[in-house]
Amino acid sequence: MFEVLPPLSPDPILGLSAAFKEDTNPDKIDLGVGVYKDEQGNTPILTSVAKAQKILLEQETSKAYISPQGNQGFIDGMLSLLLGETSQVRMANRVAAVQAPGGCGALRILSELLVRCSEKVRVWVSDPTWANHIPLIGSAGLQLETYPYFDKETASIRFDAMMETLRKTEKGDVVLLHGCCHNPTGADLTRDQWDAVLELAQERGFLPFLDVAYLGFGDGLDADAYGVRLMAENLPEVIIAASCSKNFGLYRERVGLAAVISNNSQTRDITQGQLQYVARGIYSMPPSYGGALVDIILSDEALTKEWIGEVDAMRNRMQSLRSMLVEKLNENGLDRDFSFVEQQKGMFSFLCISPQQVQAMRDEHSVYFVDSSRVNIAGINKQNVDTLAKALVSVL
Ligand SMILES: Cc1ncc(COP(=O)(O)O)c(C=O)c1O
């Protein structure tokens, strides 16, 4: 049976992690895998999450299955974060949603739902986009197309080219947009650009598919929801995949949300049933633990405040690391403008250097990141920033 299967090339990020582990250089730097790290290089459990764990341990009385749609308190809390407390679409009962196993699970459920609407759906993704979008959406059977997004030469968004391509979309097409903190480039649309995309969606009739994996890591929880709320409140249909991996630090617990805004409440009810049916056909019901923790945090005022403080601290730290890197590069005499790193948002930036230079960073300086030149900003700290800057100056 299995002899027919072709070998696959290893995942580049996992290969990078293995090479990093084997490297004996005490000054090695890992900017590969996309997890938040603190100044000591650890990915800690947030204090608000640790408190919620204690509460859950005392409160939980059963390990019986939860329902296919997941924890309703979690769903409500997440919808408030994403759509705001006064969302008109929620009041009009137009939002169907299920708790999903991570943002990946949400992306896959929504892709499966789209296939159920039509096998001919085309999903337009940014060039570049997060590598995992391709298997998550493509393996569901949807056709993938790309729209221009980022110019490595100028380290900026190719907004005109993006709009020109999206002008070619047809009704029934789906356009995947990163809600904030674009992965891998860190380059986000401005509010004016979001407004223009909305106008185009209204004109062309495409369906925005918003992937929100870093809410709070850009400019703050509310500010980062600008694009999502704009689309949700002004279009008849929008779909949203959200992740709690980064902003709640719940990576391994697999917590996310798949939400569908439909035209009216009747379609919403049918869509809710369909979402649950899709979930049932893949994994039956989501894991309970992480969703229960988010529910505890978001339904308690003090814990919510504490969590927001922790998200703010992670964001501010990453922002200061961006500034620190640019400053160190200048101090080390780099004659190339890297100030774009400071303007970009969230956990990632493209350094816009060649694959050969990325290789040299690895071979000559034990600095590890993927060939595209995407770096995890959170992997930088006060101890390694000088080494990193010197290495970059040397390979450039
Ligand atoms: C753009 C984007 N979307 C979705 C996800 C999904 O995250 P998870 O499945 O870990 O919640 C990630 C994770 O890295 C991401 O970067």
Side-chain angles (χ1 to χ4, degrees):
M1 170 77 98
F2 305 117
E3 289 79 9
V4 298
L5 296 174
L8 298 174
S9 41
D11 184 290
I13 297 225
L14 298 182
L16 203 67
S17 296
F20 177 78
K21 262 195 195 144
E22 275 167 29
D23 192 327
T24 50
N25 181 347
D27 296 325
K28 62 186 178 179
I29 302 174
D30 180 10
L31 305 179
V33 184
V35 294
Y36 177 80
K37 291 179 194 168
D38 63 14
E39 190 55 27
Q40 286 70 43
N42 300 320
T43 305
I45 299 175
L46 300 187
T47 310
S48 53
V49 168
K51 288 184 182 169
Q53 291 194 112
K54 280 201 182 133
I55 296 172
L56 184 58
L57 191 65
E58 281 162 18
Q59 277 180 359
E60 199 173 41
T61 53
S62 172
K63 291 289 183 191
Y65 295 121
I66 62 169
S67 63
Q69 97 262 13
N71 178 325
Q72 195 56 48
F74 163 81
I75 294 172
D76 291 339
M78 284 299 289
L79 288 175
S80 294
L81 283 182
L82 292 161
L83 302 176
E85 296 290 350
T86 56
S87 155
Q88 297 296 315
V89 282
R90 281 182 80 195
M91 284 186 217
N93 190 32
R94 286 174 46 208
V95 191
V98 293
Q99 181 186 331
C104 288
L107 286 160
R108 186 50 177 257
I109 292 170
L110 293 168
S111 300
E112 297 285 345
L113 185 79
L114 291 172
V115 174
R116 293 178 73 78
C117 298
S118 160
E119 279 173 13
K120 296 203 184 79
V121 172
R122 293 191 297 182
V123 182
W124 296 77
V125 298
S126 60
D127 174 22
T129 195
W130 179 47
N132 219 17
H133 278 148
I134 313 301
L136 280 169
I137 299 168
S139 302
L142 297 167
Q143 188 187 326
L144 283 157
E145 303 282 349
T146 56
Y147 60 85
Y149 188 75
F150 189 75
D151 182 2
K152 270 191 163 183
E153 293 301 312
T154 58
S156 59
I157 294 181
R158 300 176 61 196
F159 191 65
D160 292 343
M162 167 181 169
M163 293 296 272
E164 198 182 311
T165 302
L166 294 185
R167 236 169 250 126
K168 294 180 200 139
T169 55
E170 291 166 12
K171 192 162 168 49
D173 279 354
V174 175
V175 176
L176 188 109
L177 299 156
H178 298 223
C180 62
C181 309
H182 186 272
N183 180 5
T185 68
D188 279 352
L189 298 178
T190 62
R191 290 191 172 197
D192 285 347
Q193 289 172 334
W194 274 112
D195 295 347
V197 174
L198 168 68
E199 256 181 52
L200 194 59
Q202 286 165 331
E203 188 187 312
R204 302 301 308 161
F206 64 73
L207 170 71
F209 186 164
L210 290 145
D211 182 2
V212 192
Y214 300 91
L215 197 74
F217 276 17
D219 291 313
L221 286 161
D222 278 322
D224 289 353
Y226 179 81
V228 180
R229 294 180 189 175
L230 182 77
M231 299 289 155
E233 298 298 334
N234 292 290
L235 289 168
E237 298 180 329
V238 172
I239 55 180
I240 305 165
S243 164
C244 301
S245 298
K246 322 281 162 155
N247 53 9
F248 283 89
L250 284 169
Y251 308 85
R252 66 174 64 168
E253 304 303 350
R254 314 308 299 134
V255 207
L257 182 89
V260 177
I261 295 167
S262 34
N263 250 328
N264 54 56
S265 69
Q266 288 92 322
T267 313
R268 178 255 164 230
D269 291 345
I270 294 169
T271 311
Q272 182 67 42
Q274 287 277 347
L275 279 173
Q276 289 169 206
Y277 182 84
V278 169
R280 195 103 174 93
I282 312 178
Y283 54 82
S284 263
M285 65 277 304
S288 163
Y289 190 69
L293 297 179
V294 173
D295 178 22
I296 289 171
I297 293 170
L298 295 182
S299 49
D300 180 295
E301 215 175 297
L303 277 180
T304 301
K305 205 167 156 215
E306 186 163 350
W307 170 69
I308 293 173
E310 292 184 281
V311 175
D312 290 348
M314 288 191 278
R315 179 183 65 255
N316 292 337
R317 177 165 174 275
M318 288 186 286
Q319 197 51 52
S320 73
L321 294 171
R322 288 176 177 280
S323 305
M324 203 159 72
L325 176 61
V326 174
E327 198 180 300
K328 286 282 172 198
L329 286 170
N330 292 336
E331 259 175 39
N332 281 283
L334 187 72
D335 59 358
R336 189 161 142 184
D337 183 15
F338 266 82
S339 58
F340 63 87
V341 172
E342 222 174 337
Q343 313 311 323
Q344 292 171 344
K345 305 284 176 193
M347 217 149 86
F348 303 111
S349 267
F350 256 3
L351 289 184
C352 301
I353 64 174
S354 71
Q356 292 74 22
Q357 288 164 328
V358 173
Q359 186 72 40
M361 288 291 283
R362 211 175 303 161
D363 297 345
E364 294 163 25
H365 302 280
S366 299
V367 181
Y368 288 77
F369 50 96
V370 277
D371 287 348
S372 66
S373 85
R374 185 196 83 165
V375 291
N376 176 6
I377 294 291
I380 305 172
N381 55 46
K382 287 187 188 118
Q383 273 72 49
N384 68 21
V385 66
D386 206 39
T387 312
L388 172 62
K390 286 196 168 91
L392 258 174
V393 171
S394 127
V395 303
L396 287 168

